[in-house]
Structure formats: C-alpha cells, structure tokens
Amino acid sequence: MHKFGTVALVGPPNAGKSTLMNRYLGQKVAIVSPRPQTTRNRISGILTTDDAQVVFLDTPGIHQLRGKMNRFLLESAWNALAGCDAVVVLVDAALYAAKPSLLKKELKPLAGPVAEAGRPVLVAVNKIDRVKDKPTMLPVMAALGELWPEAEFIPVSALRGKGTEELLARILDIIPEGPPMFPEDQISTAPVRFMAAEIIREKLFYSLRQELPYSTAVEIEAWDETSRPGLALVNAVIYTAQKNHKGMIIGKQGANLKRIGSEARKEIAELLGGKVHLELWVKVRSGWTEDPGFLRAMGLGE
Ligand code: GDP
Ligand code: MG
C-alpha cells in the first residue's frame, strides 16, 4: 500500500512552519527567519518515504493583516487549505505560555477558515523546548482546545526534532492511499532558481540588524549551468525600494554583501550538488544608483 497526500502548514508568522518542513525534508526548502513574514510565496516541499509521499505547503504567515500585500498573503494561505488532505496548525507555545493574551489575538482569525476547510486538523504545539515552566502550558492547551475542539494536539519542537516523528506518523495515518506524484529525488515543486532567490533573501534578512523593509526583492538575472561543466554561473540582483537601504545591504566596504554572497553561494551549491559562482548586485528599484565599479572592486562583480 502506498499513500499520497498534501498537508497545509498554517500558523502565525514565526511559529516554525518553515523549520518543521525543512526538518521533514532533511534539507532547506523554505527559508527560516527570526523575522516574520519572510515566506512571501507558497513553497511546497515533497517528502518521499518507501511507502508514502507527502507534499507540504508552507503558507505565508497569517496575522492581523492590512494592505494589498497582506491580502495576497492571506489568499495564498486559504488556497492551500482548500485542496489539502490535512491541516497542521503550528503555534508558538513558548510565546503563548509567556504572553497568554496573544494567543486568542493571533489564532482566532485562523480558527474559522481552518474549520471551514473541513479537513482533519493536527495542532502542533511548537517550541516546547523553550517552555521552562510546564504548568504555564495548561491555559495554553485549554485555549487551543477551545479554538479547535476536534483537533489532535501534538507537542513538538521543530527545531530540536522532538515530537516531530509522532506528528509525521499521524499525518501518514490521515492521508489517503495513492501513488506518488513526483519523482523520488524531487524535494520541491518550486524551481531551483526560485529557491536560490529565496536563499539569498534569507541571508539578506539575517545579515541586517535593522528592520529590513519587506520591499526587498531578489531576482535571478542569469542562470547558466551549461557554459562551464560542473559550475553554475548565477547572477542575482537585490532590489530595494529606498536609496539608503542600498548602503545598509552592501555594508562597510562591501563586507555585508560579500558575506551574504558567500553564505548564499554555499547553500545554492548544496541545493544543486555542484559548484556555484554567484554574482550579487544591489539596485534601487526607483532610479539607477548601482555602482558596478565599486562592487567589482570589492570582488563582488565580475
Ligand atoms: P515560520 O514563519 O512559521 O515559517 O517560522 P520559521 O520556521 O521561519 O521560524 C521562526 C523562528 O523560530 C526561527 O528563528 C526558528 O529557528 C525558530 N523556531 C522554530 N521552531 C522552533 C522550536 O521548536 N524551538 C525553538 N526554540 N525555536 C524554533
Ligand atoms: Mg516560513
């Protein structure tokens, strides 16, 4: 018997959705960030075992959303719910144990749509490694039980891998029988170029101390795996909306961009299983203020 199913991962930003998916895949597919809302597009990861294939949909974070961009994020999340075989709601238990008032505020907007999807719900009570005072979990569990009376609750630490096998076992129980839909070596439905751009964006988020506006975009301008055997030549541009952010991203004497580039290159190389030459540029979207000479001088250009 072989099983096949899709599972939507939903939950507020920062709950650990991307961390959980990456853990199951044993590889980085979705970007993980200490800042919310970095997953702008839906990313799916494909887990293939001997007798099952599970497609995980990592949805953008959902919270009190305003504005056009956020409406788009929400829609994307609801679409993921519509067609899945099971919903895994991820919640940051450590956060709610410490700040109980946040729980309803963050999770109530999710409860209705999740229930409406009419799919089996597993609530992954995440970050239990950070809950030091266990009794603080009691009100959290009670409140979660009120929000999802029909759900199963599984305490996990996506980061440390605690409880994640139990959660996966429940997922495998729930999903229907069916043949695999993807080749066994495919780990995502997203193209590698897109994943490479996401990796660069992750390094960018991590590298900046200041609040980075979400108006930053990464575009892969050139992708050449054929000119030089065994070496992928990748050109990427980081676009930023504001002029002063460009300097922040590049850093003193190009140091920040250089670090972003070298960290991203390593990970893209892992993703491709080969060597990568990465050129990174920063451009302000409104107006051309790029300085290729400077970047080249920093060893970041050609
Ligand atoms: P997402 O926005 O829901 O996709 O959340 P991420 O997967 O990007 O994780 C947000 C942050 O929480 C990252 O800094 C993760 O390392 C951290 N995190 C995720 N799961 C756990 C966990 O089980 N324990 C701890 N301590 N941190 C976690
Ligand atoms: Mg994420």
Side-chain angles (χ1 to χ4, degrees):
M1 185 186 78
H2 190 278
K3 289 193 144 191
F4 177 86
T6 54
V7 173
L9 300 176
V10 297
N14 225 35
K17 300 178 292 298
S18 301
T19 305
L20 182 73
M21 187 163 94
N22 293 340
R23 166 160 293 278
Y24 283 146
L25 302 182
Q27 227 184 111
K28 182 121 80 190
V29 176
I31 70 172
V32 176
S33 162
R35 291 177 187 79
Q37 224 173 289
T38 48
T39 313
R40 272 192 274 190
N41 300 293
R42 209 163 80 199
I43 299 191
S44 54
I46 305 163
L47 172 70
T48 303
T49 68
D50 286 341
D51 44 20
Q53 192 167 61
V54 186
V55 179
F56 290 97
L57 305 172
D58 184 13
T59 64
I62 303 157
H63 52 152
Q64 276 74 30
L65 298 167
R66 264 173 244 111
K68 222 185 204 154
M69 172 71 173
N70 287 333
R71 273 204 298 280
F72 167 77
L73 287 174
L74 259 182
E75 240 161 63
S76 169
W78 300 154
N79 287 344
L81 284 180
C84 69
D85 296 302
V87 180
V88 171
V89 180
L90 241 91
V91 303
D92 182 340
L95 175 68
Y96 304 138
K99 291 185 185 156
S101 66
L102 275 181
L103 189 146
K104 284 242 157 76
K105 195 174 150 219
E106 287 199 349
L107 299 182
K108 216 157 179 204
L110 265 176
V114 166
E116 262 164 47
R119 312 285 161 181
V121 178
L122 300 169
V123 178
V125 184
N126 192 28
K127 304 200 189 181
I128 49 162
D129 58 292
R130 281 183 51 196
V131 182
K132 295 285 169 271
D133 185 13
K134 298 296 170 195
T136 59
M137 282 299 292
L138 295 173
V140 174
M141 296 309 293
L144 291 174
E146 270 174 44
L147 287 173
W148 289 285
E150 317 269 301
E152 268 179 69
F153 299 86
I154 302 158
V156 301
S157 169
L159 190 67
R160 310 242 178 270
K162 270 199 147 179
T164 49
E165 285 305 314
E166 287 83 344
L167 176 61
L168 182 60
R170 288 302 297 130
I171 290 169
L172 293 173
D173 280 344
I174 291 169
I175 61 171
E177 274 180 49
M181 301 287 212
F182 299 95
E184 60 179 297
D185 59 352
Q186 190 175 339
I187 58 154
S188 176
T189 60
V192 281
R193 285 173 70 137
F194 170 78
M195 287 162 74
E198 286 290 284
I199 288 170
I200 296 166
R201 213 152 60 82
E202 179 186 69
K203 302 307 166 204
L204 184 65
F205 272 95
Y206 268 118
S207 75
L208 295 171
R209 295 277 165 271
Q210 287 104 323
E211 181 71 11
L212 185 83
Y214 297 110
S215 51
T216 314
V218 174
E219 186 186 53
I220 304 292
E221 271 201 334
W223 186 282
D224 175 3
E225 287 184 79
T226 53
S227 294
R228 297 183 50 190
L231 181 71
L233 305 169
V234 181
N235 278 19
V237 180
I238 297 169
Y239 285 104
T240 171
Q242 275 162 279
K243 218 173 173 175
N244 61 325
H245 291 144
K246 184 184 172 183
M248 269 167 58
I249 293 167
I250 293 172
K252 223 177 183 178
Q253 293 183 308
N256 199 50
L257 189 60
K258 205 167 190 170
R259 195 171 56 240
I260 295 170
S262 108
E263 285 173 3
R265 182 182 51 74
K266 274 185 216 135
E267 252 176 53
I268 297 168
E270 262 172 50
L271 182 72
L272 298 179
K275 287 201 167 117
V276 170
H277 177 76
L278 174 66
E279 281 177 27
L280 266 188
W281 306 82
V282 184
K283 289 179 185 174
V284 180
R285 215 184 251 283
S286 49
W288 292 90
T289 51
E290 59 164 323
D291 186 357
F294 171 74
L295 292 173
R296 225 174 266 130
M298 291 301 111
L300 296 161
E302 303 168 78

